[in-house]
């Protein structure tokens, strides 16, 4: 049933009301009996939606949840960037504080050197040598003055470098603030889109009768089953015989231990997960960090052929890499499907495969 279509129960009720209005509008005929026997209107029976209508609903839901998944990836990417940018700003702030303290110390030293030079000034060097009781002592003193002048030049150069560093730190911090603000806007826009798509999907589902929802669930299962059957009929499973690595086994155990927990967009556990939150946390538990989003997992991790995949590898789905599941062997994956569903096991070929990546290649 497409957008705007209600269950045929609504249409039946509207038709009943229209008939009632038509009866009331018809001129009446007088009868001798003052109390005519009332007629009973049979209850309206809702007409079930056709399979064609439900298939249209299924496709519409798939589209809405896919768009929500894409927006979730955008949200997660912005969240990850914001986290890194915040850390960089904190580091830059520390460097600025350290640089300012260093500059203050250098200024004090430069001031002390200038005062010492002023106190040692006065007569020209020739006069000081003429009046000195000990020429050698004077020459030693002159050497120290030259060393002092050299040190002062070095001090001034260090002050200049420190000032330049402080200006660069401040510039970098300002740039990071701008990026952070931009990512906050991206997160807000993605969050809004996620909520809109999920709300639209939930509204569409709420318009179905209980039996229609049950039939819709069966249609979803049948579509997944047919896709998996087609994938297996190619004989691909006979070619897949890779063994899980030690880390892969740990990742698979973590992921399968989460079965039954609800999907939550942007969630990384322990109570709920989105698709890439599950895979990234599973591999983190195995001691191997991977990118947070399915799109970055596809971009950054090593690609392997489907026939070469082994348990623990990640299967990326759809042309935009908007979904990911973990291969667990025997042609199956564990994944967090979508809002309203829980972490579960399904056929690896039940969705359109983009490719396979290996975290611990």
């Amino acid at each position: 049933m497409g957008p705007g279509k209600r269950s045929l129960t609504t249409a039946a009720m509207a038709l009943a009301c229209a008939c009632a209005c038509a009866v009331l509008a018809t001129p009446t005929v007088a009868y001798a009996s003052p109390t005519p026997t009332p007629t009973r209107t049979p209850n309206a029976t809702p007409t079930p939606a056709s399979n064609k209508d439900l298939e249209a609903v299924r496709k519409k839901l798939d589209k809405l949840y896919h768009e929500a998944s894409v927006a979730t990836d955008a949200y997660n990417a912005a969240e990850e960037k914001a986290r890194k940018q915040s850390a960089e700003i904190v580091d830059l702030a520390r460097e600025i504080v350290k640089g300012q303290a260093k500059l203050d110390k250098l200024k004090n030293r430069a001031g002390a050197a200038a005062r010492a030079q002023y106190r040692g000034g006065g007569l020209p060097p020739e006069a000081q040598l003429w009046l000195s009781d000990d020429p050698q002592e004077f020459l030693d003193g002159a050497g120290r003055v030259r060393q002092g002048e050299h040190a002062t030049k070095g001090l001034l150069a260090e002050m200049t470098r420190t000032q330049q560093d402080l200006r660069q730190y401040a510039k970098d911090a300002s740039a990071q603030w701008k990026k952070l603000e931009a990512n906050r806007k991206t997160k807000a826009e993605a969050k809004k889109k996620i909520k809109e798509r999920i709300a639209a999907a939930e509204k569409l589902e709420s318009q179905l009768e209980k039996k229609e929802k049950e039939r819709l669930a069966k249609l979803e299962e049948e579509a997944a089953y047919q896709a998996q059957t087609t994938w297996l009929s190619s004989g691909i499973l006979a070619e897949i015989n890779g063994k899980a690595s030690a880390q892969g086994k740990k990742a698979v155990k973590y992921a399968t231990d989460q079965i039954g927990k609800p999907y939550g967009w942007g969630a990384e556990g322990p109570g709920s997960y989105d698709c890439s939150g599950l895979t990234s946390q599973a591999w983190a538990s195995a001691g191997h960090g991977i990118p947070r989003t399915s799109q970055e997992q596809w971009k950054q991790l090593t690609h392997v052929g489907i026939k070469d995949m082994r348990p623990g590898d990640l299967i990326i789905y759809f042309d935009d890499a908007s979904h990911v599941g973990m291969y667990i062997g025997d042609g199956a994956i564990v994944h967090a499907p979508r809002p309203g569903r829980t972490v579960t096991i399904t056929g690896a070929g039940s969705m359109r495969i983009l490719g396979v990546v290996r975290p611990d290649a």
Side-chain angles (χ1 to χ4, degrees):
M1 191 181 301
K5 266 193 163 185
R6 307 285 184 183
S7 173
L8 295 182
T9 304
T10 307
M13 290 175 65
L15 181 60
C17 291
C19 290
C21 292
V23 170
L24 291 173
T26 303
T28 56
V29 179
Y31 289 92
S33 173
T35 55
T37 303
T39 58
R40 179 175 294 178
T41 304
N43 292 331
T45 303
T47 304
S50 67
N51 282 345
K52 183 179 179 181
D53 288 337
L54 286 178
E55 181 61 20
V57 170
R58 186 187 71 79
K59 290 180 178 179
K60 180 63 177 177
L61 287 173
D62 281 350
K63 183 175 185 294
L64 288 169
Y65 283 124
H66 178 261
E67 290 173 354
S69 180
V70 173
T72 298
D73 237 26
Y75 177 90
N76 290 336
E79 172 72 15
E80 191 74 4
K81 287 180 182 178
R83 199 177 298 166
K84 290 179 180 177
Q85 286 157 359
S86 295
E88 287 174 6
I89 289 171
V90 171
D91 289 341
L92 287 168
R94 288 197 185 104
E95 291 300 324
I96 288 173
V97 170
K98 285 165 57 179
Q100 189 60 56
K102 180 180 178 182
L103 184 61
D104 292 342
K105 185 177 180 181
L106 289 171
K107 284 181 178 179
N108 288 336
R109 286 173 59 190
R115 289 190 295 274
Q117 189 174 9
Y118 176 78
R119 286 194 299 270
L123 294 173
E126 297 84 354
Q128 291 184 38
L129 176 60
W130 180 261
L131 297 173
S132 176
D133 294 332
D134 187 348
Q136 185 60 46
E137 182 180 351
F138 169 77
L139 293 173
D140 292 342
R144 284 194 296 272
V145 168
R146 283 194 298 273
Q147 290 174 357
E149 288 175 347
H150 182 71
T152 301
K153 287 181 181 178
L155 191 61
L156 292 174
E158 184 66 17
M159 283 176 60
T160 300
R161 284 194 296 271
T162 302
Q163 288 171 327
Q164 290 172 344
D165 288 344
L166 283 171
R167 283 194 291 270
Q168 187 61 49
Y169 290 148
K171 185 178 178 181
D172 290 346
S174 177
Q176 289 298 337
W177 271 113
K178 289 179 181 177
K179 289 180 181 178
L180 184 60
E181 286 301 312
N183 272 316
R184 282 174 177 164
K185 290 180 181 178
T186 300
K187 276 176 59 180
E189 291 169 359
K191 185 176 182 179
K192 181 181 177 182
K193 187 173 183 179
I194 293 166
K195 289 188 172 183
E196 287 176 349
R197 297 303 187 271
I198 292 176
E202 289 174 345
K203 182 179 179 181
L204 184 58
E205 288 182 288
S206 71
Q207 294 169 357
L208 301 175
E209 298 292 335
K210 181 180 178 180
K211 288 185 178 179
E212 291 172 336
K213 289 180 180 178
E214 291 172 354
R215 286 168 55 207
L216 177 63
K218 287 184 178 178
L219 284 176
E220 291 176 346
E221 291 174 3
E222 287 173 5
Y225 176 77
Q226 288 175 4
Q228 175 73 352
T229 301
T230 300
W231 184 66
L232 292 177
S233 66
S234 67
I236 187 67
L237 195 57
E239 300 181 40
I240 302 172
N241 53 18
K243 302 297 181 183
S245 64
Q247 284 185 314
K249 289 179 181 177
K250 291 179 182 178
V252 168
K253 183 179 186 309
Y254 179 96
T256 52
D257 283 347
Q258 312 314 308
I259 290 174
K261 293 185 178 180
Y263 178 99
W265 64 265
E268 299 177 79
S272 61
Y273 297 87
D274 62 21
C275 66
S276 57
L278 177 66
T279 55
S280 60
Q281 287 302 305
W283 272 99
S285 75
H288 191 86
I290 63 173
R292 169 64 179 86
T293 69
S294 58
Q295 292 176 343
E296 288 304 310
Q297 288 169 6
W298 174 244
K299 288 179 184 176
Q300 297 185 34
L301 300 180
T302 301
H303 291 211
V304 296
I306 293 177
K307 63 182 180 61
D308 298 319
M309 68 181 176
R310 64 193 188 192
D313 287 348
L314 307 181
I315 302 181
I316 309 296
Y317 293 95
F318 309 116
D319 293 340
D320 52 9
S322 58
H323 190 69
V324 60
M326 179 178 290
Y327 186 63
I328 60 174
D330 297 324
I333 61 165
V334 59
H335 72 146
R338 65 167 175 81
R341 299 289 189 265
T342 60
V343 176
T344 188
I345 292 175
T346 192
S350 60
M351 296 167 283
R352 190 168 65 256
I353 295 175
L354 176 61
V356 180
V357 293
R358 177 163 297 161
D360 60 339

